[in-house]
């Protein structure tokens, strides 16, 4: 498991956690509207970047290095796009009355 502290302007380093997080520490999102969770979009982009690496990571340490390197290669301001999408996502969610949306 990896973790990052980030803000609108900056993305901090990706660090490895030596533990797992329980449900008590996770954000609670509506199960019908996973598209409200921008963290999932960021996670997918990161995993896609790691999958494109050659050679692919073979060990847990290789995977951690590939995740950290891919994270650092995201362009400055990368997080602004998902954050800016939140009003559109929220409008879609309200229109769908909590159901699945296609923001």
């Amino acid at each position: 498991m990896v973790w990052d502290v980030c803000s609108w302007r900056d993305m901090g380093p990706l660090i490895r956690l030596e533990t797992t997080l329980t449900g008590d520490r996770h954000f609670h999102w509506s199960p019908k509207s996973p598209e409200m969770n921008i963290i999932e979009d960021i996670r997918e982009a990161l995993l896609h970047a790691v999958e494109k690496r050659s050679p692919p990571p073979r060990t847990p340490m290789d995977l951690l290095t590939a995740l950290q390197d891919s994270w650092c290669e995201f362009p400055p301001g990368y997080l602004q796009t998902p954050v800016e999408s939140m009003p559109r996502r929220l409008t879609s969610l309200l229109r769908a009355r909590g159901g699945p949306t296609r923001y």
Side-chain angles (χ1 to χ4, degrees):
M1 177 167 297
V2 293
W3 191 260
D4 175 63
V5 176
C6 50
S7 71
W8 175 260
R9 291 190 179 101
D10 194 20
M11 295 168 41
L14 203 60
I15 58 169
R16 181 174 181 246
L17 295 181
E18 297 291 333
T19 185
T20 57
L21 298 178
T22 66
D24 295 339
R25 296 181 186 161
H26 285 182
F27 292 107
H28 297 283
W29 299 99
S30 168
K32 294 181 181 177
S33 301
E35 52 277 298
M36 288 299 295
N37 187 347
I38 63 173
I39 293 169
E40 290 299 319
D41 295 338
I42 296 164
R43 178 184 164 271
E44 288 299 317
L46 184 59
L47 291 177
H48 181 70
V50 169
E51 288 171 355
K52 292 185 342 184
R53 289 189 143 346
S54 182
R58 289 191 167 79
T59 67
M61 187 51 81
D62 288 346
L63 178 58
L64 178 60
T65 299
L67 286 167
Q68 290 171 328
D69 290 348
S70 296
W71 181 253
C72 290
E73 291 167 4
F74 281 155
Y78 171 77
L79 295 178
Q80 291 176 1
T81 301
V83 171
E84 287 171 349
S85 74
M86 288 308 295
R88 185 176 70 246
R89 292 170 188 246
L90 184 56
T91 298
S92 294
L93 179 65
L94 291 173
R95 215 177 272 135
R97 296 187 177 164
T101 65
R102 297 185 125 218
Y103 62 91

